[in-house]
Amino acid sequence: MTIARVYLVAGELSGDILGAGLMRELKARHPGVAFRGIGGPRMIGEGIDSRFPLETLSVMGLVEVLKHLPGLVRVRRTLRRDALAWKPDIVIGIDAPDFNLGLERQLREAGLTTAHYVSPSVWAWRQGRVKGIARSVDAMLTFLPFEAAFYARHRVPVAFVGHPLADELPLVNDRAAARKALGLPASEQPGESPLLAVLPGSRANEIRFLGATFLDAAERLCRERETLRVVIPAATLARRVELTALLEDRAALRERVVLVDGRSREAMVAADAVLLASGTAALEAMLCHRAMVVAYRMAPMTHWLARRLVKTEWISLPNLIARETLVPELIQDAANPEAIAAELAGLLDDAETRHALETRFAAMHAELQRDASRRAVDAVEALVTRRALPASVAPDAQEGA
């Protein structure tokens, strides 16, 4: 069996990384395979004929989507015609579910085989979407076991491929080496030179809602602990400017802070505990095997809607994966400096709890480290040849969500 043509549509930089991994694995197994669709610099480097720039689909927020809707409809129509004319063995949408699932449905109804890589959060809210997903794809390829279990219970063909971040990050990490790389002192004794990593988020709104609160909590801890140091990774230059401004009026904290550009994973590995906004950063902290506190605030109306729409007991990925509360979650009014500082103090003062969490997170990391690109291509080959999905990627339907 040879796969000759694969149509890939990525919607943002994270999808470009995933797509490039898929393409490398497909080329290794099927020399001469051709790629077409939409990709970014990594996918273009692997040989995709990208029909539109990657940024074409990178539209965030309701107002922005509405403004760009006519153009997105034209792009989808063009891609549909292009894919049908090219006749690929399979079409794979990578993330960007609002755009890709509609395209996949049109192409599947026209007779092409389709898959979607990266599940939307259908298990968390608007669960009725699963019926539309079932009509759009021949299989869903998921990162996380509880996602796969959700689709299995709804009788949607699914492959649990593991998480690429788990493949990328090592199962054993070196706290002392990370501290040295950041110019921070290593601990000679347990509890000596404690280090807190603070990650208030990569978006302007996250700094707006969380920045001052996170820094107030860190300042409170610094007043109580003479040797505590704080490392804050700035996701972008704009975030660095905002964080620098917030530090201006916090003299007690400013003396203890190391503000770095990027390097969030190094900062988390170096730390004894991590304070972060919910999202992918919580998964990364788990994969760095670090104790953490997750806090999140949003606009009041957004929170009001979320409380009525979201159907999960937890919001952070470590808790969702474990199906239990391993990580404190402080949401909206509960995400105040006093409560955050109290949770972090408990972690910083309890080496036994930190060690137990690090051990648990390392085990969870190993569970997700499945060589995701290889397993995704195993599923793709089964779909192209109309075979059943291999047992190696089948989820446990009794697990999770």
Side-chain angles (χ1 to χ4, degrees):
M1 179 270 298
T2 298
I3 296 178
R5 296 182 175 190
V6 177
Y7 208 90
L8 298 162
V9 180
E12 54 187 272
L13 285 173
S14 59
D16 184 44
I17 295 169
L18 295 171
L22 274 181
M23 292 169 71
R24 281 192 296 273
E25 183 68 23
L26 281 162
K27 289 193 295 185
R29 299 193 201 183
H30 304 275
V33 61
F35 303 100
R36 195 170 170 118
I38 294 182
R42 290 176 179 83
M43 292 171 69
I44 290 170
E46 295 295 335
I48 193 170
D49 176 4
S50 188
R51 314 306 285 173
F52 292 92
L54 181 73
E55 297 76 18
T56 303
L57 307 186
S58 300
V59 180
M60 299 291 290
L62 179 61
V63 173
E64 288 82 359
V65 169
L66 289 175
K67 184 170 68 174
H68 290 89
L69 189 57
L72 291 171
V73 169
R74 285 193 296 272
V75 170
R76 182 187 283 172
R77 190 180 301 129
T78 300
L79 291 176
R80 178 182 181 277
R81 287 196 300 264
D82 188 56
L84 290 174
W86 198 54
K87 295 183 173 62
D89 296 303
I90 190 168
V91 176
I92 305 172
I94 305 172
D95 212 350
D98 292 332
F99 181 90
N100 273 329
L101 286 168
L103 176 64
E104 290 155 15
R105 182 172 178 176
Q106 292 173 0
L107 293 174
R108 188 169 186 243
E109 288 174 349
L112 295 181
T113 300
T114 63
H116 191 84
Y117 194 19
V118 189
S119 172
S121 300
V122 64
W123 40 267
W125 66 293
R126 289 172 57 203
Q127 293 190 359
R129 289 178 293 167
V130 72
K131 296 177 182 177
I133 291 171
R135 292 191 291 270
S136 298
V137 301
D138 290 285
M140 177 66 70
L141 312 183
T142 74
F143 286 167
L144 302 170
F146 71 85
E147 295 174 323
F150 173 86
Y151 286 104
R153 287 198 305 277
H154 286 84
R155 303 186 182 281
V156 177
V158 62
F160 163 50
V161 302
H163 205 296
L165 268 182
D167 297 332
E168 185 179 336
L169 291 167
L171 281 174
V172 177
N173 57 53
D174 189 333
R175 181 181 273 113
R179 290 192 178 194
K180 183 177 179 180
L182 293 168
L184 295 164
S187 298
E188 298 296 332
Q189 300 293 333
E192 185 180 68
S193 302
L195 180 66
L196 172 68
V198 175
L199 290 82
S202 60
R203 299 183 178 94
N205 261 356
E206 288 173 327
I207 300 297
R208 174 188 166 200
F209 286 113
L210 297 170
T213 298
F214 277 20
L215 296 188
D216 287 345
E219 186 174 38
R220 177 179 290 260
L221 289 166
C222 284
R223 289 198 185 105
E224 298 168 352
R225 291 163 172 74
E226 292 183 0
T227 59
L228 179 65
R229 300 290 299 275
V230 179
V231 59
I232 306 178
T236 65
L237 178 58
R239 300 296 85 79
R240 184 183 181 92
V241 170
E242 291 161 355
L243 290 165
T244 300
L246 287 171
L247 286 166
E248 281 297 317
D249 297 326
R250 294 172 172 82
L253 177 60
R254 196 169 62 243
E255 296 172 357
R256 309 276 194 91
V257 163
V258 175
L259 187 60
V260 297
D261 295 316
R263 304 176 75 177
S264 60
R265 291 178 192 171
E266 261 180 319
M268 288 190 279
V269 170
D272 296 290
V274 182
L275 169 62
L276 45 77
S278 180
T280 304
L283 177 66
E284 289 191 72
M286 186 198 89
L287 296 173
C288 292
H289 317 155
R290 292 300 175 259
M292 73 189 87
V293 172
V294 168
Y296 206 78
R297 301 185 74 170
M298 61 201 84
M301 181 56 71
T302 303
H303 181 248
W304 183 86
L305 286 170
R307 286 181 59 193
R308 285 151 180 79
L309 293 174
V310 174
K311 304 298 183 183
T312 62
E313 186 174 348
W314 303 279
I315 66 161
S316 68
L317 284 170
N319 290 342
L320 284 161
I321 294 167
R323 313 310 300 167
E324 62 177 293
T325 303
L326 299 179
V327 173
E329 297 180 353
L330 301 173
I331 310 303
Q332 209 62 4
D333 292 341
N336 59 71
E338 296 77 16
I340 292 169
E343 292 284 1
L344 287 169
L347 290 176
L348 290 168
D349 294 343
D350 190 343
E352 187 176 337
T353 294
R354 292 201 311 273
H355 178 71
L357 281 169
E358 289 175 7
T359 301
R360 179 71 180 276
F361 289 157
M364 292 165 67
H365 184 172
E367 176 66 17
L368 294 179
Q369 197 174 69
R370 300 295 185 93
D371 194 352
S373 293
R374 176 184 62 79
R375 286 161 63 93
V377 172
D378 287 346
V380 167
E381 288 179 337
L383 291 171
V384 169
T385 57
R386 304 292 179 178
R387 290 182 286 113
L389 290 166
S392 62
V393 298
D396 178 356
Q398 301 305 309
E399 182 178 1

